Amino acid sequence: MEATFYWFAWSLTVIAVFFIQRRRLKRDLLLVLGVFMCTYDWLSWSPNGQFYFHIGILLVFGTYLFISIRRSMFDYFWPFIFSVGYAAVWMFLIVHPVWVKFPGVSLFLLVIVGLLRMFVKDVSGQMGLWVLANAGGTLFAFLIFALYQKEGLIDTHAMLSLSIKGMFVLLFFHGVDQLKRSIRKKRKSISKGAAFV
């Protein structure tokens, strides 16, 4: 689990440094990645403290990204809706762990990311929605399991790894979109008689 987290975190760091054009998004993403890499196992002696610390950072970061662009009033319900859905899926997988071994589970992440891209068009809003859904869903699941004294079933490291993986996939799709846009622009300029460079 730890190796997976750091692999995705360093990959995101490279993407942020070399491929993200917007300075603000680059700065914010690098700051949060740095905090997560430094504090991944920081409060291992206090699982609840570690959980609340990471949830707090995810909630603040996700909210900051999501509200960075003005949205319609209806769009502000998406984080809550996705959080409830995320909590339901996560609790189902914890109660029935055999489904985690199912070969198509990793493709489920692509489906969810595709849904996020349908509802929110800008990349920072998509990342904010993903992070808020992760943090909110994990918090809901934690509170529900806490009613039965089973809050230890929620793994902070799994939550952080899934957050990082989702951001990685979102940035990958964003890069593909940027590449398609630049190819379209070059084709238009060629069709207007400009030299291909």
Side-chain angles (χ1 to χ4, degrees):
M1 184 70 72
E2 190 170 333
T4 304
F5 170 79
Y6 280 109
W7 189 90
F8 277 103
W10 279 113
S11 301
L12 266 180
T13 303
V14 170
I15 290 170
V17 169
F18 294 108
F19 299 109
I20 293 181
Q21 306 291 317
R22 292 170 45 200
R23 284 185 183 173
R24 197 169 116 194
L25 180 60
K26 179 189 290 195
R27 181 200 65 209
D28 297 339
L29 188 58
L30 287 174
L31 176 68
V32 168
L33 286 171
V35 168
F36 282 149
M37 284 195 274
C38 292
T39 63
Y40 181 74
D41 237 356
W42 182 46
L43 295 169
S44 53
W45 65 89
S46 169
N48 283 357
Q50 186 178 41
F51 173 79
Y52 287 120
F53 177 76
H54 286 131
I55 282 285
I57 291 176
L58 283 174
L59 286 172
V60 168
F61 178 61
T63 303
Y64 173 74
L65 284 178
F66 194 70
I67 65 171
S68 61
I69 292 177
R70 183 172 290 204
R71 304 179 190 285
S72 69
M73 195 62 179
F74 183 72
D75 286 343
Y76 291 103
F77 289 106
W78 287 123
F80 178 75
I81 293 166
F82 275 99
S83 294
V84 171
Y86 182 93
V89 170
W90 198 355
M91 287 189 295
F92 175 79
L93 292 177
I94 288 173
V95 173
H96 303 288
V98 71
W99 287 99
V100 176
K101 304 298 180 192
F102 190 69
V105 168
S106 55
L107 295 175
F108 191 62
L109 179 64
L110 296 174
V111 172
I112 293 173
V113 166
L115 281 172
L116 292 178
R117 290 169 51 84
M118 284 173 42
F119 295 113
V120 179
K121 300 303 178 193
D122 61 296
V123 70
S124 40
Q126 293 165 2
M127 288 173 63
L129 181 56
W130 171 252
V131 170
L132 282 173
N134 259 281
T138 305
L139 188 59
F140 288 155
F142 182 84
L143 294 174
I144 289 168
F145 280 131
L147 294 174
Y148 303 100
Q149 282 85 37
K150 300 284 187 186
E151 61 270 13
L153 295 172
I154 300 294
D155 184 13
T156 307
H157 297 138
M159 172 195 65
L160 287 178
S161 293
L162 195 58
S163 299
I164 296 288
K165 284 180 193 175
M167 287 193 282
F168 181 83
V169 173
L170 281 167
L171 285 177
F172 175 78
F173 282 138
H174 177 65
V176 170
D177 288 344
Q178 295 283 80
L179 186 63
K180 284 180 184 174
R181 255 183 250 128
S182 81
I183 289 171
R184 256 186 259 126
K185 280 183 187 174
K186 283 188 179 179
R187 283 187 183 156
K188 281 182 185 175
S189 65
I190 289 171
S191 67
K192 290 179 183 175
F196 184 76
V197 180

